[in-house]
Amino acid sequence: MPPLPTRTLPLLYAIILLDVVVGAAVGPVMPDFVRGLPEPQLWLSVGTGIFLGVQLFSAPLLGRLSDGYGRRPIFILSAVGTLAANALLLPVRAGLYFVNRVSDGFTNGMYATARSAITDMSPPEHLFRNLGIEGAIISLGFVLGPMAAGLLLTVLQVPPGQQAGYVVGLAVALGALNVLLSLWLPETHQQRNGVRGAELRTELGLAINPLTLWKRLQAKNASNPGIRRIVLTQVALTLSLGYYFYFVPFVSMGELQLDARGISYLFMYFGALSIVLNYVFYTYFADRLNQRRAIVWLALLGTPVLLGYGLVGTSKATFYVLVTLDCFTLSLIQGLLEGRLARRTTEVDRGEIFGLNQAFQALASFGTALVFSGLSVLDLRLPWAWFALCLGAVAWLAARPEPLEPAVV
């Protein structure tokens, strides 16, 4: 494979950053789309479940296409799809919100392709670092998105009734920029053999059947023992990380009563601290640790943090203390699992494995969205007990010895 242009990895990071910024920018105004509906927190959660559930079939489908035709076409398709999905939000209507969730959920399946592309171009000694930087980039997007939205609303002094339209307009402009960056991205995957229509139909049929997804995971695990355990641990983590999507309904409709600016400031702080911690952790420590043992301890320490979120009441200071502890514990786990999975992939099936993993994550995300939306109708504090239980499952799964690995002491 000829050497890639030096711009490739930074450009890929920029594409990921802009994609996250677009999604994070519209997050604080999403409650405006469902505020007039009965039980708005339920409909906001349903929209999240739709967005995540669509990835059940889009992630493995896009992953398979990226193995057959290359990573670059998938990035272009995803960027165009995200632009179109956000353009649908320009009239602030509940119906268009749900259409957006379907459309944006499909193109969001490109993150399996992003991790495949990073792994394509990363030598083994830099794999954890590069995937860790991806995690820091995603955290940066969660800062810059709400920051851009907050600055826009503050500088222009936008009245509450018009805030959603202004923020969506910003997201559309940034989405158009990402289309241009995706067109400039070089191809990172050279072993392309195309994909027949029959293969795509088969892939789609397999993707929407959880039992078939499990059989495919079993097959991959038979040839590469340990993949199944990592994916199952990732599923448990995804179930607990549903709280990322629950933050907005919880802080806007619960006792904290944060408005769009308050939500923007929350994500700015959360993301800024996550950037620093992820960068330091994955640059200087991740490769020197026993990653599996680190996952166990980070999950154990993060479990009471999730329980604490449900007990903060009206105290914003306590809430911010818990956000700080969150950044030091469970927010560091994702990159460790991705790095461990990446080390078990090959050039031939990398996109397929990452797509399969993201499909399981989408299934878990959809399931956890259904659970927390149902629990939130009973009491807005109850979902935090569910998230904490799932994070405890992460510690339990990671603590169990894997093939060819010693038990955790």
mmCIF file with all atom_site columns, all heavy atoms in Angstrom, residues 281 285-286 289-301 329-330 332-333 336 340 394-395 398 408:
data_model
loop_
_atom_site.group_PDB
_atom_site.id
_atom_site.type_symbol
_atom_site.label_atom_id
_atom_site.label_alt_id
_atom_site.label_comp_id
_atom_site.label_asym_id
_atom_site.label_entity_id
_atom_site.label_seq_id
_atom_site.pdbx_PDB_ins_code
_atom_site.Cartn_x
_atom_site.Cartn_y
_atom_site.Cartn_z
_atom_site.occupancy
_atom_site.B_iso_or_equiv
_atom_site.pdbx_formal_charge
_atom_site.auth_seq_id
_atom_site.auth_comp_id
_atom_site.auth_asym_id
_atom_site.auth_atom_id
_atom_site.pdbx_PDB_model_num
ATOM 1   N N   . PHE A 1 281 ? -4.569  10.569  29.302 1.00 0.00 ? 281 PHE A N   1
ATOM 2   C CA  . PHE A 1 281 ? -4.672  9.147   29.621 1.00 0.00 ? 281 PHE A CA  1
ATOM 3   C C   . PHE A 1 281 ? -4.229  8.280   28.445 1.00 0.00 ? 281 PHE A C   1
ATOM 4   O O   . PHE A 1 281 ? -3.435  7.344   28.622 1.00 0.00 ? 281 PHE A O   1
ATOM 5   C CB  . PHE A 1 281 ? -6.121  8.816   29.999 1.00 0.00 ? 281 PHE A CB  1
ATOM 6   C CG  . PHE A 1 281 ? -6.345  7.381   30.363 1.00 0.00 ? 281 PHE A CG  1
ATOM 7   C CD1 . PHE A 1 281 ? -5.936  6.882   31.596 1.00 0.00 ? 281 PHE A CD1 1
ATOM 8   C CD2 . PHE A 1 281 ? -6.978  6.499   29.484 1.00 0.00 ? 281 PHE A CD2 1
ATOM 9   C CE1 . PHE A 1 281 ? -6.147  5.550   31.942 1.00 0.00 ? 281 PHE A CE1 1
ATOM 10  C CE2 . PHE A 1 281 ? -7.184  5.171   29.814 1.00 0.00 ? 281 PHE A CE2 1
ATOM 11  C CZ  . PHE A 1 281 ? -6.774  4.698   31.050 1.00 0.00 ? 281 PHE A CZ  1
ATOM 12  N N   . PHE A 1 285 ? -0.650  6.917   29.346 1.00 0.00 ? 285 PHE A N   1
ATOM 13  C CA  . PHE A 1 285 ? -0.904  5.837   30.290 1.00 0.00 ? 285 PHE A CA  1
ATOM 14  C C   . PHE A 1 285 ? -1.525  4.576   29.690 1.00 0.00 ? 285 PHE A C   1
ATOM 15  O O   . PHE A 1 285 ? -1.239  3.473   30.156 1.00 0.00 ? 285 PHE A O   1
ATOM 16  C CB  . PHE A 1 285 ? -1.826  6.341   31.425 1.00 0.00 ? 285 PHE A CB  1
ATOM 17  C CG  . PHE A 1 285 ? -1.221  7.444   32.243 1.00 0.00 ? 285 PHE A CG  1
ATOM 18  C CD1 . PHE A 1 285 ? -1.659  8.744   32.078 1.00 0.00 ? 285 PHE A CD1 1
ATOM 19  C CD2 . PHE A 1 285 ? -0.227  7.187   33.161 1.00 0.00 ? 285 PHE A CD2 1
ATOM 20  C CE1 . PHE A 1 285 ? -1.103  9.771   32.819 1.00 0.00 ? 285 PHE A CE1 1
ATOM 21  C CE2 . PHE A 1 285 ? 0.341   8.202   33.910 1.00 0.00 ? 285 PHE A CE2 1
ATOM 22  C CZ  . PHE A 1 285 ? -0.101  9.503   33.742 1.00 0.00 ? 285 PHE A CZ  1
ATOM 23  N N   . ALA A 1 286 ? -2.397  4.696   28.696 1.00 0.00 ? 286 ALA A N   1
ATOM 24  C CA  . ALA A 1 286 ? -3.201  3.556   28.241 1.00 0.00 ? 286 ALA A CA  1
ATOM 25  C C   . ALA A 1 286 ? -2.350  2.372   27.797 1.00 0.00 ? 286 ALA A C   1
ATOM 26  O O   . ALA A 1 286 ? -2.686  1.220   28.084 1.00 0.00 ? 286 ALA A O   1
ATOM 27  C CB  . ALA A 1 286 ? -4.138  3.990   27.106 1.00 0.00 ? 286 ALA A CB  1
ATOM 28  N N   . LEU A 1 289 ? -0.715  0.329   30.839 1.00 0.00 ? 289 LEU A N   1
ATOM 29  C CA  . LEU A 1 289 ? -1.580  -0.303  31.821 1.00 0.00 ? 289 LEU A CA  1
ATOM 30  C C   . LEU A 1 289 ? -2.018  -1.684  31.362 1.00 0.00 ? 289 LEU A C   1
ATOM 31  O O   . LEU A 1 289 ? -1.976  -1.999  30.180 1.00 0.00 ? 289 LEU A O   1
ATOM 32  C CB  . LEU A 1 289 ? -2.833  0.557   32.036 1.00 0.00 ? 289 LEU A CB  1
ATOM 33  C CG  . LEU A 1 289 ? -2.656  1.961   32.608 1.00 0.00 ? 289 LEU A CG  1
ATOM 34  C CD1 . LEU A 1 289 ? -3.988  2.701   32.539 1.00 0.00 ? 289 LEU A CD1 1
ATOM 35  C CD2 . LEU A 1 289 ? -2.166  1.904   34.039 1.00 0.00 ? 289 LEU A CD2 1
ATOM 36  N N   . ASN A 1 290 ? -2.467  -2.490  32.309 1.00 0.00 ? 290 ASN A N   1
ATOM 37  C CA  . ASN A 1 290 ? -3.255  -3.666  31.968 1.00 0.00 ? 290 ASN A CA  1
ATOM 38  C C   . ASN A 1 290 ? -4.652  -3.146  31.650 1.00 0.00 ? 290 ASN A C   1
ATOM 39  O O   . ASN A 1 290 ? -5.411  -2.768  32.555 1.00 0.00 ? 290 ASN A O   1
ATOM 40  C CB  . ASN A 1 290 ? -3.289  -4.631  33.154 1.00 0.00 ? 290 ASN A CB  1
ATOM 41  C CG  . ASN A 1 290 ? -4.096  -5.895  32.862 1.00 0.00 ? 290 ASN A CG  1
ATOM 42  O OD1 . ASN A 1 290 ? -5.210  -5.820  32.348 1.00 0.00 ? 290 ASN A OD1 1
ATOM 43  N ND2 . ASN A 1 290 ? -3.541  -7.041  33.197 1.00 0.00 ? 290 ASN A ND2 1
ATOM 44  N N   . GLN A 1 291 ? -4.986  -3.087  30.359 1.00 0.00 ? 291 GLN A N   1
ATOM 45  C CA  . GLN A 1 291 ? -6.223  -2.415  29.953 1.00 0.00 ? 291 GLN A CA  1
ATOM 46  C C   . GLN A 1 291 ? -7.468  -3.078  30.544 1.00 0.00 ? 291 GLN A C   1
ATOM 47  O O   . GLN A 1 291 ? -8.421  -2.389  30.929 1.00 0.00 ? 291 GLN A O   1
ATOM 48  C CB  . GLN A 1 291 ? -6.342  -2.359  28.429 1.00 0.00 ? 291 GLN A CB  1
ATOM 49  C CG  . GLN A 1 291 ? -5.381  -1.401  27.754 1.00 0.00 ? 291 GLN A CG  1
ATOM 50  C CD  . GLN A 1 291 ? -4.044  -2.021  27.434 1.00 0.00 ? 291 GLN A CD  1
ATOM 51  O OE1 . GLN A 1 291 ? -3.944  -3.239  27.306 1.00 0.00 ? 291 GLN A OE1 1
ATOM 52  N NE2 . GLN A 1 291 ? -3.013  -1.201  27.292 1.00 0.00 ? 291 GLN A NE2 1
ATOM 53  N N   . ARG A 1 292 ? -7.472  -4.371  30.618 1.00 0.00 ? 292 ARG A N   1
ATOM 54  C CA  . ARG A 1 292 ? -8.649  -5.060  31.147 1.00 0.00 ? 292 ARG A CA  1
ATOM 55  C C   . ARG A 1 292 ? -8.844  -4.734  32.621 1.00 0.00 ? 292 ARG A C   1
ATOM 56  O O   . ARG A 1 292 ? -9.966  -4.480  33.078 1.00 0.00 ? 292 ARG A O   1
ATOM 57  C CB  . ARG A 1 292 ? -8.514  -6.573  30.938 1.00 0.00 ? 292 ARG A CB  1
ATOM 58  C CG  . ARG A 1 292 ? -9.767  -7.359  31.304 1.00 0.00 ? 292 ARG A CG  1
ATOM 59  C CD  . ARG A 1 292 ? -9.706  -8.762  30.731 1.00 0.00 ? 292 ARG A CD  1
ATOM 60  N NE  . ARG A 1 292 ? -8.592  -9.514  31.276 1.00 0.00 ? 292 ARG A NE  1
ATOM 61  C CZ  . ARG A 1 292 ? -8.651  -10.223 32.396 1.00 0.00 ? 292 ARG A CZ  1
ATOM 62  N NH1 . ARG A 1 292 ? -9.774  -10.238 33.094 1.00 0.00 ? 292 ARG A NH1 1
ATOM 63  N NH2 . ARG A 1 292 ? -7.629  -10.902 32.817 1.00 0.00 ? 292 ARG A NH2 1
ATOM 64  N N   . ARG A 1 293 ? -7.769  -4.723  33.367 1.00 0.00 ? 293 ARG A N   1
ATOM 65  C CA  . ARG A 1 293 ? -7.869  -4.394  34.791 1.00 0.00 ? 293 ARG A CA  1
ATOM 66  C C   . ARG A 1 293 ? -8.291  -2.941  34.982 1.00 0.00 ? 293 ARG A C   1
ATOM 67  O O   . ARG A 1 293 ? -9.075  -2.621  35.887 1.00 0.00 ? 293 ARG A O   1
ATOM 68  C CB  . ARG A 1 293 ? -6.523  -4.658  35.461 1.00 0.00 ? 293 ARG A CB  1
ATOM 69  C CG  . ARG A 1 293 ? -6.551  -4.569  36.969 1.00 0.00 ? 293 ARG A CG  1
ATOM 70  C CD  . ARG A 1 293 ? -5.216  -5.015  37.541 1.00 0.00 ? 293 ARG A CD  1
ATOM 71  N NE  . ARG A 1 293 ? -4.949  -6.411  37.205 1.00 0.00 ? 293 ARG A NE  1
ATOM 72  C CZ  . ARG A 1 293 ? -3.753  -6.982  37.289 1.00 0.00 ? 293 ARG A CZ  1
ATOM 73  N NH1 . ARG A 1 293 ? -2.711  -6.260  37.652 1.00 0.00 ? 293 ARG A NH1 1
ATOM 74  N NH2 . ARG A 1 293 ? -3.605  -8.240  36.971 1.00 0.00 ? 293 ARG A NH2 1
ATOM 75  N N   . ALA A 1 294 ? -7.784  -2.060  34.112 1.00 0.00 ? 294 ALA A N   1
ATOM 76  C CA  . ALA A 1 294 ? -8.179  -0.651  34.202 1.00 0.00 ? 294 ALA A CA  1
ATOM 77  C C   . ALA A 1 294 ? -9.682  -0.494  33.968 1.00 0.00 ? 294 ALA A C   1
ATOM 78  O O   . ALA A 1 294 ? -10.347 0.309   34.651 1.00 0.00 ? 294 ALA A O   1
ATOM 79  C CB  . ALA A 1 294 ? -7.395  0.173   33.183 1.00 0.00 ? 294 ALA A CB  1
ATOM 80  N N   . ILE A 1 295 ? -10.228 -1.254  33.021 1.00 0.00 ? 295 ILE A N   1
ATOM 81  C CA  . ILE A 1 295 ? -11.668 -1.193  32.758 1.00 0.00 ? 295 ILE A CA  1
ATOM 82  C C   . ILE A 1 295 ? -12.455 -1.602  33.998 1.00 0.00 ? 295 ILE A C   1
ATOM 83  O O   . ILE A 1 295 ? -13.457 -0.964  34.357 1.00 0.00 ? 295 ILE A O   1
ATOM 84  C CB  . ILE A 1 295 ? -12.030 -2.092  31.558 1.00 0.00 ? 295 ILE A CB  1
ATOM 85  C CG1 . ILE A 1 295 ? -11.440 -1.511  30.265 1.00 0.00 ? 295 ILE A CG1 1
ATOM 86  C CG2 . ILE A 1 295 ? -13.547 -2.243  31.427 1.00 0.00 ? 295 ILE A CG2 1
ATOM 87  C CD1 . ILE A 1 295 ? -11.506 -2.464  29.085 1.00 0.00 ? 295 ILE A CD1 1
ATOM 88  N N   . VAL A 1 296 ? -12.004 -2.660  34.676 1.00 0.00 ? 296 VAL A N   1
ATOM 89  C CA  . VAL A 1 296 ? -12.697 -3.133  35.875 1.00 0.00 ? 296 VAL A CA  1
ATOM 90  C C   . VAL A 1 296 ? -12.761 -2.029  36.924 1.00 0.00 ? 296 VAL A C   1
ATOM 91  O O   . VAL A 1 296 ? -13.830 -1.711  37.462 1.00 0.00 ? 296 VAL A O   1
ATOM 92  C CB  . VAL A 1 296 ? -11.989 -4.374  36.457 1.00 0.00 ? 296 VAL A CB  1
ATOM 93  C CG1 . VAL A 1 296 ? -12.613 -4.762  37.798 1.00 0.00 ? 296 VAL A CG1 1
ATOM 94  C CG2 . VAL A 1 296 ? -12.071 -5.544  35.484 1.00 0.00 ? 296 VAL A CG2 1
ATOM 95  N N   . TRP A 1 297 ? -11.622 -1.406  37.219 1.00 0.00 ? 297 TRP A N   1
ATOM 96  C CA  . TRP A 1 297 ? -11.582 -0.404  38.289 1.00 0.00 ? 297 TRP A CA  1
ATOM 97  C C   . TRP A 1 297 ? -12.313 0.875   37.901 1.00 0.00 ? 297 TRP A C   1
ATOM 98  O O   . TRP A 1 297 ? -13.010 1.474   38.732 1.00 0.00 ? 297 TRP A O   1
ATOM 99  C CB  . TRP A 1 297 ? -10.135 -0.108  38.671 1.00 0.00 ? 297 TRP A CB  1
ATOM 100 C CG  . TRP A 1 297 ? -9.555  -1.188  39.526 1.00 0.00 ? 297 TRP A CG  1
ATOM 101 C CD1 . TRP A 1 297 ? -8.652  -2.146  39.164 1.00 0.00 ? 297 TRP A CD1 1
ATOM 102 C CD2 . TRP A 1 297 ? -9.885  -1.445  40.895 1.00 0.00 ? 297 TRP A CD2 1
ATOM 103 N NE1 . TRP A 1 297 ? -8.393  -2.978  40.215 1.00 0.00 ? 297 TRP A NE1 1
ATOM 104 C CE2 . TRP A 1 297 ? -9.130  -2.583  41.297 1.00 0.00 ? 297 TRP A CE2 1
ATOM 105 C CE3 . TRP A 1 297 ? -10.736 -0.836  41.821 1.00 0.00 ? 297 TRP A CE3 1
ATOM 106 C CZ2 . TRP A 1 297 ? -9.201  -3.094  42.584 1.00 0.00 ? 297 TRP A CZ2 1
ATOM 107 C CZ3 . TRP A 1 297 ? -10.811 -1.352  43.100 1.00 0.00 ? 297 TRP A CZ3 1
ATOM 108 C CH2 . TRP A 1 297 ? -10.051 -2.468  43.476 1.00 0.00 ? 297 TRP A CH2 1
ATOM 109 N N   . LEU A 1 298 ? -12.194 1.294   36.664 1.00 0.00 ? 298 LEU A N   1
ATOM 110 C CA  . LEU A 1 298 ? -12.905 2.500   36.232 1.00 0.00 ? 298 LEU A CA  1
ATOM 111 C C   . LEU A 1 298 ? -14.418 2.293   36.304 1.00 0.00 ? 298 LEU A C   1
ATOM 112 O O   . LEU A 1 298 ? -15.166 3.203   36.695 1.00 0.00 ? 298 LEU A O   1
ATOM 113 C CB  . LEU A 1 298 ? -12.486 2.881   34.813 1.00 0.00 ? 298 LEU A CB  1
ATOM 114 C CG  . LEU A 1 298 ? -11.058 3.412   34.649 1.00 0.00 ? 298 LEU A CG  1
ATOM 115 C CD1 . LEU A 1 298 ? -10.709 3.546   33.173 1.00 0.00 ? 298 LEU A CD1 1
ATOM 116 C CD2 . LEU A 1 298 ? -10.883 4.750   35.363 1.00 0.00 ? 298 LEU A CD2 1
ATOM 117 N N   . ALA A 1 299 ? -14.882 1.086   35.956 1.00 0.00 ? 299 ALA A N   1
ATOM 118 C CA  . ALA A 1 299 ? -16.316 0.796   36.025 1.00 0.00 ? 299 ALA A CA  1
ATOM 119 C C   . ALA A 1 299 ? -16.798 0.739   37.469 1.00 0.00 ? 299 ALA A C   1
ATOM 120 O O   . ALA A 1 299 ? -17.872 1.261   37.805 1.00 0.00 ? 299 ALA A O   1
ATOM 121 C CB  . ALA A 1 299 ? -16.628 -0.514  35.304 1.00 0.00 ? 299 ALA A CB  1
ATOM 122 N N   . LEU A 1 300 ? -16.012 0.115   38.336 1.00 0.00 ? 300 LEU A N   1
ATOM 123 C CA  . LEU A 1 300 ? -16.397 0.045   39.743 1.00 0.00 ? 300 LEU A CA  1
ATOM 124 C C   . LEU A 1 300 ? -16.474 1.432   40.376 1.00 0.00 ? 300 LEU A C   1
ATOM 125 O O   . LEU A 1 300 ? -17.395 1.735   41.152 1.00 0.00 ? 300 LEU A O   1
ATOM 126 C CB  . LEU A 1 300 ? -15.402 -0.828  40.516 1.00 0.00 ? 300 LEU A CB  1
ATOM 127 C CG  . LEU A 1 300 ? -15.466 -2.334  40.247 1.00 0.00 ? 300 LEU A CG  1
ATOM 128 C CD1 . LEU A 1 300 ? -14.323 -3.046  40.955 1.00 0.00 ? 300 LEU A CD1 1
ATOM 129 C CD2 . LEU A 1 300 ? -16.806 -2.902  40.698 1.00 0.00 ? 300 LEU A CD2 1
ATOM 130 N N   . LEU A 1 301 ? -15.511 2.281   40.056 1.00 0.00 ? 301 LEU A N   1
ATOM 131 C CA  . LEU A 1 301 ? -15.508 3.629   40.625 1.00 0.00 ? 301 LEU A CA  1
ATOM 132 C C   . LEU A 1 301 ? -16.595 4.511   40.019 1.00 0.00 ? 301 LEU A C   1
ATOM 133 O O   . LEU A 1 301 ? -17.083 5.447   40.662 1.00 0.00 ? 301 LEU A O   1
ATOM 134 C CB  . LEU A 1 301 ? -14.133 4.275   40.402 1.00 0.00 ? 301 LEU A CB  1
ATOM 135 C CG  . LEU A 1 301 ? -12.968 3.633   41.170 1.00 0.00 ? 301 LEU A CG  1
ATOM 136 C CD1 . LEU A 1 301 ? -11.637 4.218   40.700 1.00 0.00 ? 301 LEU A CD1 1
ATOM 137 C CD2 . LEU A 1 301 ? -13.135 3.831   42.671 1.00 0.00 ? 301 LEU A CD2 1
ATOM 138 N N   . THR A 1 329 ? -13.522 8.671   35.523 1.00 0.00 ? 329 THR A N   1
ATOM 139 C CA  . THR A 1 329 ? -13.767 7.232   35.673 1.00 0.00 ? 329 THR A CA  1
ATOM 140 C C   . THR A 1 329 ? -14.376 6.628   34.407 1.00 0.00 ? 329 THR A C   1
ATOM 141 O O   . THR A 1 329 ? -13.657 6.303   33.465 1.00 0.00 ? 329 THR A O   1
ATOM 142 C CB  . THR A 1 329 ? -14.672 6.971   36.899 1.00 0.00 ? 329 THR A CB  1
ATOM 143 O OG1 . THR A 1 329 ? -15.872 7.762   36.794 1.00 0.00 ? 329 THR A OG1 1
ATOM 144 C CG2 . THR A 1 329 ? -13.964 7.337   38.190 1.00 0.00 ? 329 THR A CG2 1
ATOM 145 N N   . LEU A 1 330 ? -15.707 6.502   34.357 1.00 0.00 ? 330 LEU A N   1
ATOM 146 C CA  . LEU A 1 330 ? -16.316 5.732   33.277 1.00 0.00 ? 330 LEU A CA  1
ATOM 147 C C   . LEU A 1 330 ? -16.140 6.355   31.904 1.00 0.00 ? 330 LEU A C   1
ATOM 148 O O   . LEU A 1 330 ? -16.189 5.650   30.895 1.00 0.00 ? 330 LEU A O   1
ATOM 149 C CB  . LEU A 1 330 ? -17.809 5.504   33.543 1.00 0.00 ? 330 LEU A CB  1
ATOM 150 C CG  . LEU A 1 330 ? -18.733 6.712   33.581 1.00 0.00 ? 330 LEU A CG  1
ATOM 151 C CD1 . LEU A 1 330 ? -20.139 6.283   33.122 1.00 0.00 ? 330 LEU A CD1 1
ATOM 152 C CD2 . LEU A 1 330 ? -18.857 7.273   34.979 1.00 0.00 ? 330 LEU A CD2 1
ATOM 153 N N   . LEU A 1 332 ? -13.524 7.189   30.544 1.00 0.00 ? 332 LEU A N   1
ATOM 154 C CA  . LEU A 1 332 ? -12.260 6.719   29.966 1.00 0.00 ? 332 LEU A CA  1
ATOM 155 C C   . LEU A 1 332 ? -12.341 5.287   29.435 1.00 0.00 ? 332 LEU A C   1
ATOM 156 O O   . LEU A 1 332 ? -11.407 4.811   28.787 1.00 0.00 ? 332 LEU A O   1
ATOM 157 C CB  . LEU A 1 332 ? -11.150 6.791   31.017 1.00 0.00 ? 332 LEU A CB  1
ATOM 158 C CG  . LEU A 1 332 ? -10.816 8.177   31.573 1.00 0.00 ? 332 LEU A CG  1
ATOM 159 C CD1 . LEU A 1 332 ? -9.820  8.061   32.717 1.00 0.00 ? 332 LEU A CD1 1
ATOM 160 C CD2 . LEU A 1 332 ? -10.266 9.085   30.480 1.00 0.00 ? 332 LEU A CD2 1
ATOM 161 N N   . ILE A 1 333 ? -13.453 4.597   29.683 1.00 0.00 ? 333 ILE A N   1
ATOM 162 C CA  . ILE A 1 333 ? -13.525 3.167   29.371 1.00 0.00 ? 333 ILE A CA  1
ATOM 163 C C   . ILE A 1 333 ? -13.660 2.902   27.873 1.00 0.00 ? 333 ILE A C   1
ATOM 164 O O   . ILE A 1 333 ? -13.081 1.954   27.338 1.00 0.00 ? 333 ILE A O   1
ATOM 165 C CB  . ILE A 1 333 ? -14.700 2.520   30.125 1.00 0.00 ? 333 ILE A CB  1
ATOM 166 C CG1 . ILE A 1 333 ? -14.478 2.631   31.638 1.00 0.00 ? 333 ILE A CG1 1
ATOM 167 C CG2 . ILE A 1 333 ? -14.867 1.059   29.733 1.00 0.00 ? 333 ILE A CG2 1
ATOM 168 C CD1 . ILE A 1 333 ? -15.672 2.154   32.468 1.00 0.00 ? 333 ILE A CD1 1
ATOM 169 N N   . LEU A 1 336 ? -10.566 2.274   25.710 1.00 0.00 ? 336 LEU A N   1
ATOM 170 C CA  . LEU A 1 336 ? -9.855  1.045   26.058 1.00 0.00 ? 336 LEU A CA  1
ATOM 171 C C   . LEU A 1 336 ? -10.479 -0.158  25.375 1.00 0.00 ? 336 LEU A C   1
ATOM 172 O O   . LEU A 1 336 ? -9.782  -1.024  24.833 1.00 0.00 ? 336 LEU A O   1
ATOM 173 C CB  . LEU A 1 336 ? -9.860  0.854   27.575 1.00 0.00 ? 336 LEU A CB  1
ATOM 174 C CG  . LEU A 1 336 ? -9.026  1.842   28.391 1.00 0.00 ? 336 LEU A CG  1
ATOM 175 C CD1 . LEU A 1 336 ? -9.254  1.626   29.885 1.00 0.00 ? 336 LEU A CD1 1
ATOM 176 C CD2 . LEU A 1 336 ? -7.540  1.716   28.056 1.00 0.00 ? 336 LEU A CD2 1
ATOM 177 N N   . ARG A 1 340 ? -8.763  -2.501  22.381 1.00 0.00 ? 340 ARG A N   1
ATOM 178 C CA  . ARG A 1 340 ? -8.616  -3.946  22.533 1.00 0.00 ? 340 ARG A CA  1
ATOM 179 C C   . ARG A 1 340 ? -9.272  -4.684  21.374 1.00 0.00 ? 340 ARG A C   1
ATOM 180 O O   . ARG A 1 340 ? -8.749  -5.693  20.888 1.00 0.00 ? 340 ARG A O   1
ATOM 181 C CB  . ARG A 1 340 ? -9.222  -4.404  23.862 1.00 0.00 ? 340 ARG A CB  1
ATOM 182 C CG  . ARG A 1 340 ? -8.534  -3.799  25.088 1.00 0.00 ? 340 ARG A CG  1
ATOM 183 C CD  . ARG A 1 340 ? -8.984  -4.452  26.376 1.00 0.00 ? 340 ARG A CD  1
ATOM 184 N NE  . ARG A 1 340 ? -8.410  -5.788  26.461 1.00 0.00 ? 340 ARG A NE  1
ATOM 185 C CZ  . ARG A 1 340 ? -9.076  -6.865  26.846 1.00 0.00 ? 340 ARG A CZ  1
ATOM 186 N NH1 . ARG A 1 340 ? -10.358 -6.774  27.124 1.00 0.00 ? 340 ARG A NH1 1
ATOM 187 N NH2 . ARG A 1 340 ? -8.478  -8.031  26.917 1.00 0.00 ? 340 ARG A NH2 1
ATOM 188 N N   . VAL A 1 394 ? -20.392 -4.101  33.391 1.00 0.00 ? 394 VAL A N   1
ATOM 189 C CA  . VAL A 1 394 ? -19.125 -3.903  32.683 1.00 0.00 ? 394 VAL A CA  1
ATOM 190 C C   . VAL A 1 394 ? -17.963 -4.409  33.533 1.00 0.00 ? 394 VAL A C   1
ATOM 191 O O   . VAL A 1 394 ? -17.083 -5.139  33.060 1.00 0.00 ? 394 VAL A O   1
ATOM 192 C CB  . VAL A 1 394 ? -18.921 -2.414  32.335 1.00 0.00 ? 394 VAL A CB  1
ATOM 193 C CG1 . VAL A 1 394 ? -17.516 -2.168  31.784 1.00 0.00 ? 394 VAL A CG1 1
ATOM 194 C CG2 . VAL A 1 394 ? -19.967 -1.959  31.322 1.00 0.00 ? 394 VAL A CG2 1
ATOM 195 N N   . ALA A 1 395 ? -17.957 -4.023  34.814 1.00 0.00 ? 395 ALA A N   1
ATOM 196 C CA  . ALA A 1 395 ? -16.885 -4.468  35.716 1.00 0.00 ? 395 ALA A CA  1
ATOM 197 C C   . ALA A 1 395 ? -16.875 -5.989  35.836 1.00 0.00 ? 395 ALA A C   1
ATOM 198 O O   . ALA A 1 395 ? -15.803 -6.621  35.817 1.00 0.00 ? 395 ALA A O   1
ATOM 199 C CB  . ALA A 1 395 ? -17.065 -3.820  37.084 1.00 0.00 ? 395 ALA A CB  1
ATOM 200 N N   . ALA A 1 398 ? -15.587 -7.578  32.463 1.00 0.00 ? 398 ALA A N   1
ATOM 201 C CA  . ALA A 1 398 ? -14.164 -7.322  32.241 1.00 0.00 ? 398 ALA A CA  1
ATOM 202 C C   . ALA A 1 398 ? -13.298 -8.080  33.244 1.00 0.00 ? 398 ALA A C   1
ATOM 203 O O   . ALA A 1 398 ? -12.148 -8.417  32.944 1.00 0.00 ? 398 ALA A O   1
ATOM 204 C CB  . ALA A 1 398 ? -13.879 -5.822  32.330 1.00 0.00 ? 398 ALA A CB  1
ATOM 205 N N   . VAL A 1 408 ? -7.868  -11.419 36.669 1.00 0.00 ? 408 VAL A N   1
ATOM 206 C CA  . VAL A 1 408 ? -7.602  -10.170 37.374 1.00 0.00 ? 408 VAL A CA  1
ATOM 207 C C   . VAL A 1 408 ? -7.392  -10.469 38.843 1.00 0.00 ? 408 VAL A C   1
ATOM 208 O O   . VAL A 1 408 ? -8.176  -11.178 39.465 1.00 0.00 ? 408 VAL A O   1
ATOM 209 C CB  . VAL A 1 408 ? -8.787  -9.184  37.195 1.00 0.00 ? 408 VAL A CB  1
ATOM 210 C CG1 . VAL A 1 408 ? -8.568  -7.950  38.036 1.00 0.00 ? 408 VAL A CG1 1
ATOM 211 C CG2 . VAL A 1 408 ? -8.918  -8.807  35.736 1.00 0.00 ? 408 VAL A CG2 1
#
